[in-house]
Amino acid sequence: MDSGKKEVAHIISNTHWDREWYQSHEKYLVRLVGLCDRLTELLERNKEYRFVLDGQYALIGDYLAVRPEMKDRVAELVKEKRLLPGPWYTQPLENIAGGEALIRNLQYGIALSDDLGGAMRFSYEVDEFGHTSQLPQILKGFDIDGVIAWRGVPADSKNIFTWAAPDGTAVDMFRTNEGYGEATDLPVEEEDRNYFIDGREFERDGLISRVNAIREMRLKMAVSKHELWLNGIDHSWAQEDLFEVMEKIRALFPDLEVRQSVPQEYADAVRQDIRERGITPERVTGELMINKEGVLESTNALHPREKKRHYESEDLLTRKLEPLACAASLYGRPYPEWAVDRAWLYVLENHAHDSLGCCSVDEVFEQVMARYGAAMSLAEQVADGSLRYLMSLYDDAPSVFVFNMTARPAGGTGLYTLDVPSHMGGIGMILKTPDGTPVPMKILSSAPVGDVRYNPRRGHPTYDTKTRMQVLLDLPMIPAAGFMRLTIEDNGEKKAYTPEEILRTGEATSGNGPVPSGLPVLENAFLRLSFNENGTFDMLDKATGRIYPSQLLLEDTGDAGTVYDHELPADDREVILSENAKAEIRVLYEEPMASSVASTVTLALPRAGSIDRTSRTAETDTVRVTFTVTLYHDARRVDIRAEVANRCEDHRLRVLFPTAFADAGQSFSGQAFDTVYRPVEPDASASWKVYRTHPMQDLCGTFENGAALLLGARGIYEYECTGDACRALALTLLRANDIIDTGYFAVTPEYIMHEAQNLCTLSFDLTLVPADSPEQGVAELSRGLFKPELAVNRAPEEAVLRGYERPWKNRPALPAEGAAFRLTGEGLVVTTFKRARARDSVIVRILNESGTAQSGSFEMTLPGIGFSCVYRTDLEEKKREKAAEGPRVTFTLEPHRLLTLEFTRFFAQ
């Protein structure tokens, strides 16, 4: 920085508002009302004062929900740009929230803030636990080009640097350092002094000391004369005497210009200053996960029950609720915008970093789980009604409808649960494709269940019976967003298989002949799985000849850290492995289409950590893990269901998948709209703690010359590629730890997170894929993670039967198979298919997952629906430019780039 120019201190008044953390949302809400009442009075009294609402809408939304009479006064302050809400709905945990969910967070945050008078178009993220790689592209899609952030930024970065997404889209990152809130509660007293609280004496720096300390800290990274001073920290109220303090600073430090500012003004001043002096900021690309200032990465494995529910809710909303409700609305069903909004807002409340990071007290965990439950109840009810409505457009011949609501073709063999009305078919059921070809099927078990149906006229439900069947189906390949109607016929067979007949051990369960004595072997044309006595299996990939040994090896260590950071106990750093275990292994079934084996391992582990947390107890208890391993005849993958019955505390349990890739130098994992590659060996020169674990979404893997091993997991968010010769992929099944932080939190019962010890039974769905390369394995992995949805054409909703709702009078003749759209182009996938916000049109978003520019085309092919115009839009769905007439558009998409299209003016053909 040019020392001859006067420094400028931009004081940004704010509060960092965790909606819930070491206290519940309702307890914080009492504080929030006090903050906002006083803040409103302050802003109305001092017309120069401005205040940033922590970069989120939820803070002011929560306030107005309980103080609706304040809305007009608050809205006036927002319109005057002196009270700044948004752009986020809540500050999300970026590495856990999915890409489409991050977009919804900004959509709702901006829209609700705009309803009050205008959203702040600046991303203020002072306490996020690192930053996901594609966020610059997402932000630019909302006309946001600046970020203020702390954790995760490069250790030697300056107070401004350019942060670019993998597609090259860039924003300016304005870094805080050594935390945030350094200018909170600036004292009006000039000299250091002591003060008393509850009779205890505390030392407090005076204004001179505080200003000198802030300037020294900021000068370490300054490339501009403009400095960022954050006047606010966790749950702090607005400093009412700030302007008096600023006058004192001016008098005491004549070489320092001081002003109250807002993020955009500060950013513009820095940009102009460095532009005038010819300074080009450093450019940084990709995720920001440097731990010098604490990314708290171990939170990725906390509270697996909550993490899994988060995954399920986002998946349900984006992959089922939105597309089904949109499709049904195109065929005449009213679009339930209120329900979609309400479901999303429940989920977005849980995006808050302490909520989704699961580093909060038990009461918060319970409230978060309740919100997920509410979101999923809404979504399931609306999606089910939409699905029934679509099926009611066909005749009522007994049928099973197959819907592929994924981004890639799906099909092949899979295990499904079918609830078939008893009059439609039973154990003798045969399914046929539209051309009359029987679908290979094996019914494994069946049992009667009740069908409880809402009846709006009677009030009380209507009751019927169904048959719930576990079936193996070898489905035809269904294109992305495709559907197929399978007709049901009955061959007259009445005998139902019982679970006891199916789940036998030691002998064949069907017509393949007896299983040889000894340990089972599962084999198809691609893989051979040979089980070992300890419950692991050795996997031969026939295509490459490679053997992957000891898959499903369990690893357990103590956890003596806090919920934020996993730490081994100082006096007990033993790693306990299941290599010497004696597993209970049984064959579940062996069929031409698939075979399945259950392997149960019981580990005797220390019961808990010691009281001083330096070791683990001599007393032991058990953790029982059952892996159900299924190999399909047509798949180069292994599907695995893991059930963990945990009875121990203060430990971390992982499942290992050794690769023996001696030359593997990188691992990779899924993130929002991206696959991120990371070195296996961390930077040995770093002076701070370096995490070996990393965040993941859906998948992780590693590779060497000509071979790759990929793991898919629904709702597991932490993995490691170990640095030893095994180069194992390690998935964290659970972290059991109940300490928010050391000190007062650790010894106060109200703040102990008992639920985070996970003394319960957990379940996870995994997919294991050996491949020639990471790219080659993704399609097979996707088929393991995302199977087509099956629905039986039960009668439509009672409201339709009773005449309260009617299908489209001039309904189109829907074909027995088809697809909502047709997408061409290598490496292109659709990430959303939904109704536009507040418009009768359809939004489609396409991602180029490949590393090269791709030419592609997209065409709407919904039967009987015409589209006459296509627009390109931003992520806010506001800025539009015409792209094509009709239902088809061609385009070229840069690597890792998103394209959002709006199809409008649809009509019945």
Side-chain angles (χ1 to χ4, degrees), residues 21 93 96 129 299-308 310 350 352-361 364-365 368-369 372 563-564 737 740 753 756:
W21 175 31
L93 189 57
I96 302 295
F129 303 169
T299 59
N300 295 329
L302 276 176
H303 264 311
R305 285 173 289 173
E306 183 181 326
K307 292 293 199 303
K308 183 180 177 184
H310 165 77
N350 290 346
H353 48 277
D354 290 311
S355 304
L356 188 49
C358 308
C359 42
S360 306
V361 294
V364 172
F365 166 73
V368 166
M369 293 295 279
Y372 283 133
V563 295
Y564 300 111
N737 188 307
I740 292 180
M753 298 170 53

Side-chain angles (χ1 to χ4, degrees), residues 21 93 118 127 168 221 226 282 344 411 439 461 595 806 826 868:
W21 175 31
L93 189 57
D127 198 24
M221 60 177 185
H226 294 272
E282 177 190 10
W344 266 117
V439 176
S595 300
R806 294 180 177 82
E826 190 71 23
S868 60

Side-chain angles (χ1 to χ4, degrees), residues 412-432:
T413 306
L415 179 63
Y416 295 92
T417 299
L418 275 179
D419 286 353
V420 182
S422 54
H423 67 281
M424 286 188 179
I427 203 68
M429 184 176 72
I430 298 173
L431 300 179
K432 291 187 176 180

Side-chain angles (χ1 to χ4, degrees), residues 320 387 391 400-405 414-419 431 471 473 475 484 486 787-793:
K320 192 171 181 181
L387 195 57
M391 291 188 294
V400 172
F401 289 81
V402 184
F403 295 89
N404 176 20
M405 291 178 284
L415 179 63
Y416 295 92
T417 299
L418 275 179
D419 286 353
L431 300 179
V471 298
L473 289 176
L475 294 171
M484 178 179 289
L486 308 177
K787 297 188 299 183
E789 302 278 344
L790 302 188
V792 179
N793 66 328

